[in-house]
Each structure stands twice: as structure tokens, then as C-alpha cells.
Amino acid sequence: IGLGHLGAHGLNWQTQQVSTFAANAPLRALILTGMGLGVVGLAVLPSQLEACVPHSRLRGWLAACFPAAAGGLALVAIFKERVVGRAALSRSGVESYWQGYHDSGLMVFVLASVTGIFGMGLYKLARGPDRTARLTGLLGLYAAMGAIGSVALLRLGIGPVGIVQRLLLLHVW
């Protein structure tokens, strides 16, 4: 996804969202390709859960989280960002509906990803057979908490949107 930020353009990665780059950057096809690979990876992840999480109820819960995240990411990729800023959103008419699908997909992607990562990390930390598995669980919990912290920063308007959003994606990926 980072390669899509290269090229001659007037976009600033520190202040503008990843979606703005996916819609407008010269190398936006690389960003959309990265999103597509993420959708495929999240969609097939439940097939690997049986080996990682033998407990059936938790496995079923996690098996629902990752495909939901894939669906959210697919919505983000399909419905590109059309309106930037809340003031422009109120004046945009039909474009605001398309933007609503994009924003909803982003919310589903983040919430489902964070929930799945948190659940997997908690399971591995509590029931990991060895230190490596428990350390992996601890890293999963750290990633989920970091993503939640990034969402809080975005909602409170603390820090440049571009940097905080990329911090969120770093924790999720």
C-alpha cells in the first residue's frame, strides 16, 4: 500500500487519509491491489483457525470476525472516497450516499479486525501451549489496544488525520 503513495501529486500523506490516496494518487492501483489482497487474506483466515483455536465457540466467533472485516475492506475498495470533510459532505447530494457506504465499510473493517485480533490474542495469551504462543497473544492484544487508541485519537481530533489513520492500519495489519 505504501508504494501507492509515490509519484507526482499534490497529496500530503500526513494530513490526508489513505482513502484519498486510493481515489486520487497516480499509483492508486497499487493501493487497491493491496486492499484486494487484504480482502482475500481475511476471507480465507477462518480456514486456518481450527489449528490455532481448538475451542469451538471461540473459533466460531473469530470465524465471523475476519470475513466481516474482509467485507468491510471490500466496501472501502469498491466505494472510493468521494467527499472529503464534513462541511463538503452536507453539500454533496448523491455523492454523500456513496461516501456513506465507504465510511460504513471502513467502520466494519476496523471493528471486526480489532475484535478478531483481540479475541485471538486473548486466547493465545490465556491458553498458549508455550512462551512463543503466549508472546504472540500478548502482541495481538497490544495491536488491538493500539488500534483502539488510534480510533480514539481520530474521534477526538488529536494529531494529523493521515498519520493517525496510518498508525491504526499499522496496528491492524
Side-chain angles (χ1 to χ4, degrees):
I1 291 178
L3 293 175
H5 288 66
L6 301 176
H9 52 73
L11 302 173
N12 182 349
W13 70 273
Q14 295 177 340
T15 58
Q16 292 179 308
Q17 301 175 26
V18 173
S19 301
T20 305
F21 277 84
N24 301 312
L27 299 176
R28 63 185 164 268
L30 291 174
I31 296 172
L32 292 174
T33 301
M35 287 178 169
L37 291 173
V39 167
V40 171
L42 287 166
V44 301
L45 191 60
S47 67
Q48 303 300 315
L49 287 176
E50 190 170 340
C52 299
V53 183
H55 190 266
S56 63
R57 275 189 276 174
L58 182 61
R59 186 174 61 231
W61 178 59
L62 292 173
C65 288
F66 294 117
L73 187 57
L75 283 174
V76 170
I78 292 167
F79 295 100
K80 70 178 186 176
E81 184 176 57
R82 296 172 184 262
V83 181
V84 179
R86 290 188 182 162
L89 189 61
S90 65
R91 298 185 309 264
S92 64
V94 174
E95 295 291 317
S96 65
Y97 292 108
W98 296 112
Q99 184 66 32
Y101 286 117
H102 173 85
D103 294 344
S104 298
L106 185 59
M107 186 172 59
V108 168
F109 166 67
V110 170
L111 291 176
S113 296
V114 169
T115 303
I117 292 168
F118 184 81
M120 183 76 91
L122 192 60
Y123 177 81
K124 286 294 184 181
L125 184 64
R127 295 209 168 169
D130 56 15
R131 286 185 182 172
T132 305
R134 287 190 292 275
L135 180 62
T136 303
L138 189 62
L139 289 175
L141 287 176
Y142 166 76
M145 294 300 181
I148 291 168
S150 298
V151 169
L153 291 175
L154 282 171
R155 294 300 302 155
L156 295 173
I158 299 172
V161 172
I163 292 176
V164 176
Q165 192 179 64
R166 283 160 181 84
L167 180 64
L168 168 68
L169 292 174
L170 176 67
H171 283 99
V172 171
W173 289 121

